[in-house]
Amino acid sequence: MSDDLQARLARRSTVRRAVGFTAMSAVIVLSVLGRSVTEPTPRSALGATDLAQPVGGAGAASAPAGAAPTSAVPAKPKHKAHSTPPQTAAVKTPAARISHPASTSAAAPRTTAPRTTTAPRTTTAPRTTVAPPPKTTAPVAVSRTVTGAAYDVSYGTVQLRVTFKGHQIVDITALSLPQGGRSGDISARAEPQLRREALAAQSANINAVSGASYTSAGYAKSLQSAIDKAGA
């Protein structure tokens, strides 16, 4: 084989490799661009008003709450002012009177005995014991459970039960989610993620789970309903 033929075959092989590499690069770029266009941008599940509607109309949002009655916080006892009893004035005992002896004789000089005085008695004021103020105990946060309103998300109903301790959300239980077939699979995948995000945010302002926009919207709205009922 001549050198000229070998050179032409080498150039042809190089061109083929270059064309193949360029085509592969173009396919990868087009695949990435297509995925970025088709995947939706995450949005807040609470703001998706077109995906979840209250069950039974607008009045369903006022469903009876399952909140346990909260105990009244005991009022702090008022401290009584401690009055100090008046001090008893010292009682002075008058000095004892000493009678003078009579003169034995008119001619005898009068002698006067020296007067002796008795020290006055003083009374000690009684001791007053001041009682310490009563201890006040800080009020303990009461746990209560509230059931949120049910929302229809086209594939089923979403309703939550939320447990509060004070103003903090401590637990969220899904009473109803879309079930059956693909809807059940989506609910099983989305519910744990929505619960974790709501507990971390301590609010219903959570993002929709990709591929579960309807369930996410119903979850956020039922959670907000429970928060409104609890006044948290």
Side-chain angles (χ1 to χ4, degrees):
M1 184 180 294
S2 63
D3 295 339
D4 187 25
L5 180 59
Q6 290 180 354
R8 283 201 302 268
L9 292 176
R11 284 196 299 271
R12 184 176 301 175
S13 177
T14 302
V15 170
R16 287 178 179 176
R17 285 198 297 269
V19 171
F21 178 77
T22 302
M24 185 180 299
S25 299
V27 170
I28 294 174
V29 171
L30 291 176
S31 176
V32 172
L33 291 177
R35 181 176 299 177
S36 63
V37 171
T38 56
E39 289 185 354
T41 303
R43 62 172 180 171
S44 174
L46 186 60
T49 57
D50 55 333
L51 302 183
Q53 299 297 328
V55 174
S62 60
T70 58
S71 60
V73 179
K76 295 183 178 180
K78 298 182 178 179
H79 303 288
K80 297 182 178 179
H82 300 283
S83 59
T84 305
Q87 297 181 352
T88 306
V91 179
K92 294 183 179 181
T93 305
R97 295 182 180 181
I98 308 301
S99 59
H100 302 283
S103 302
T104 56
S105 160
R110 180 180 294 177
T111 59
T112 306
R115 294 182 177 181
T116 58
T117 58
T118 304
R121 295 181 180 178
T122 58
T123 58
T124 305
R127 294 182 179 180
T128 57
T129 304
V130 180
K135 295 182 179 180
T136 57
T137 305
V140 180
V142 180
S143 297
R144 61 194 189 281
T145 302
V146 181
T147 302
Y151 282 84
D152 181 12
V153 295
S154 299
Y155 300 96
T157 303
V158 177
Q159 188 175 23
L160 305 179
R161 177 180 293 162
V162 185
T163 302
F164 298 87
K165 188 172 185 180
H167 295 287
Q168 183 181 8
I169 302 173
V170 296
D171 192 20
I172 303 173
T173 303
L175 299 180
S176 177
L177 291 172
Q179 298 296 326
R182 179 171 173 78
S183 297
D185 295 339
I186 293 175
S187 297
R189 175 177 59 87
E191 191 272 335
Q193 183 174 343
L194 292 169
R195 180 179 180 275
R196 286 194 301 269
E197 188 171 349
L199 289 175
Q202 287 294 302
S203 70
N205 189 17
I206 56 179
N207 290 328
V209 176
S210 178
S213 300
Y214 288 86
T215 302
S216 301
Y219 194 98
K221 290 183 178 299
S222 185
L223 175 58
Q224 185 62 54
S225 172
I227 293 173
D228 293 342
K229 290 178 183 179

